[in-house]
Amino acid sequence: MRRHRNVKIVATLGPASSDYKTIRALHEAGADVFRLNMSHGAHEEIAERHRIIRQIEDELDSPIAILADLQGPKLRVGTFANGEEELAEGAAFRLDLDATEGTADRVCLPHPEIFAALEPGANLLVNDGKIRLAVTDCGADFANCRVVTGGTISNRKGVNVPDVVLPLAALSEKDRADLEFVCELGVDWLALSFVQRPEDVNEARALARGRAAILSKIEKPAAVKCFDEILAVSDGIMVARGDLGVELPVQNVPPIQKRLVRRCRAAAKPVIVATQMLESMIESPMPTRAEVSDVATAIYEGADAIMLSAESAAGDYPVEAVSTMNNVAVEVESDPTYREVIEASRRADRQTVADGIVAAAREIAETTDIKAICCYTQSGTTGLLTARERPRVPIIAMTSLRGTARRLALTWGVNCVMTGELTRFKLAVINAARAACAQGYTEETDQILVIAGVPFNVPGTTNILRVAPCQESLIYATDPG
């Protein structure tokens, strides 16, 4: 299914979008990737949504990526005898391991790992940062705090610890079980929550055993500090602005978003900008102007994908939210300023033959009358490198591997077409020309660029760049072998 935009749209499925009719409508409205949130829904529900997506994929012959988002460890306070208490600014409050129900003076925090990492002066944030506690004294099983920002604290509210790296694995026991389940199910991407260090990503990769690509969610200050190391071991990145905005001052989030997007682009790894993009559309058929500007900003930055969470999972207008994102993307990408921004921010460390070939392809396409770049890719790397160049013409990724096509559905500008395994370059050129015409990118009188590697079907061998006509008789007349 051809899109008239380059940025991809990720839609989260949930109670508002769990049936065949709605999921198909979401895809037809513009959703390229479906997110399965493992924080909600039993395995049976997840499996049914997965089945429906694959059915739609077969019916439309349109590769669709499925991203399973692991919950990660959840840090929460215990319960209160009265259900809730009011904490006044300046008051003393104690967190400890005592399972007794809480009072206005203390509550259980059943996470000894937090106490092990705390130091006096550290901050604890409760209920998405609405309550802020400063640690005045702490030990192996307690933390005495001063209430910096007061408010209502109630049962099992979440706790964030922004100032320290916690000795917690990114994968809980639930995450391990979910990871195995979705890998066996056949998802394409695993989103890893609570990433603090590259070792967290390596652990998930070892458990996935190549069955899914690993996407690291950047939602903690520790991850921002060692981002380059995390990026190096990840297949993709999600800028999870919700938790970042809790653990960091909110004014820090926009520049962090911009920096991370540019680093991902330079590394040729897909990056999703997520959280609260069209939040008001959970209840309204129209977004706010500020939300539209926020979506547009991520597109101008060159993000590979933009994501809907509750808007499509639990909102009243899931299809309208996807349509709105699609319309904003089409409008932004038709703006001449968009190309100026994209090209001004293009930075790549080119060191390999493949790097040089995709850069040359973009240069040729932009200085001659080339209508599309067709790249053959087995592992997906050539598709990613071509997308890194952010060319002005469409990218058609040709692959014989369904899994590669699905994973590339998350990547900027890449349109995937399935092809059989090839042994001759002339057949590769013919297949590329046929695909470009069939998808509506070219006419017979047009020219395309073909990128491939010989020997065929071997990852990492990109070594050929060919300007080719779309008319088959001319291909036979001019291409030997």
Side-chain angles (χ1 to χ4, degrees), residues 3-66:
R3 307 294 192 197
H4 294 279
R5 54 173 161 78
N6 292 305
V7 70
K8 301 300 178 68
I9 295 174
V10 183
T12 303
L13 299 185
S17 52
S18 58
D19 61 285
Y20 170 88
K21 182 180 178 181
T22 304
I23 295 174
R24 177 159 179 156
L26 289 171
H27 181 58
E28 291 176 338
D32 306 285
V33 182
F34 286 109
R35 172 177 173 254
L36 305 177
N37 188 352
M38 303 308 293
S39 298
H40 307 287
H43 281 187
E44 293 77 15
E45 294 173 313
I46 297 295
E48 177 60 12
R49 290 166 189 166
H50 180 278
R51 184 196 65 76
I52 292 171
I53 295 166
R54 292 298 182 231
Q55 178 184 341
I56 294 167
E57 179 183 69
D58 289 340
E59 291 172 354
L60 299 178
D61 192 24
S62 174
I64 301 173
I66 300 179

Side-chain angles (χ1 to χ4, degrees), residues 247-401:
E247 299 210 0
L248 288 167
V250 290
Q251 66 270 19
N252 290 13
V253 176
I256 289 173
Q257 173 181 317
K258 190 172 291 289
R259 289 201 306 272
L260 300 194
V261 168
R262 290 202 177 187
R263 289 185 193 177
C264 290
R265 284 181 55 191
K269 294 187 177 181
V271 55
I272 303 171
V273 176
T275 317
Q276 297 177 327
M277 301 211 80
L278 295 176
E279 186 87 351
S280 67
M281 290 195 75
I282 295 173
E283 299 175 343
S284 168
M286 289 292 291
T288 67
R289 284 23 172 204
E291 287 168 341
V292 170
S293 293
D294 179 45
V295 171
T297 296
I299 299 169
Y300 276 113
E301 288 170 355
D304 290 83
I306 46 183
M307 192 177 98
L308 294 167
S309 297
E311 302 96 326
S312 59
D316 295 332
Y317 304 95
V319 177
E320 290 84 349
V322 172
S323 295
T324 298
M325 266 195 167
N326 180 78
N327 293 340
V328 173
V330 171
E331 188 67 25
V332 168
E333 292 183 10
S334 66
D335 176 15
T337 305
Y338 170 75
R339 288 307 319 178
E340 293 174 9
V341 173
I342 289 294
E343 290 168 14
S345 59
R346 182 188 290 132
R347 293 187 307 175
D349 183 14
R350 303 186 181 98
Q351 298 178 338
T352 67
V353 171
D355 290 335
I357 284 178
V358 297
R362 176 185 56 76
E363 289 281 358
I364 294 169
E366 293 179 357
T367 54
T368 60
D369 192 23
I370 298 293
K371 298 299 184 184
I373 297 173
C374 299
C375 60
Y376 281 83
T377 183
Q378 287 297 97
S379 66
T381 300
T382 305
L384 292 170
L385 292 176
T386 306
R388 177 176 67 182
E389 295 295 321
R390 299 294 193 262
R392 298 184 185 185
V393 301
I395 302 167
I396 304 174
M398 311 284 293
T399 182
S400 61
L401 301 178

Side-chain angles (χ1 to χ4, degrees), residues 114-135:
I114 293 181
F115 297 117
L118 286 179
E119 295 179 352
N123 288 295
L124 292 164
L125 309 176
V126 184
N127 193 15
D128 290 334
K130 294 181 177 66
I131 295 174
R132 180 181 293 269
L133 307 174
V135 177

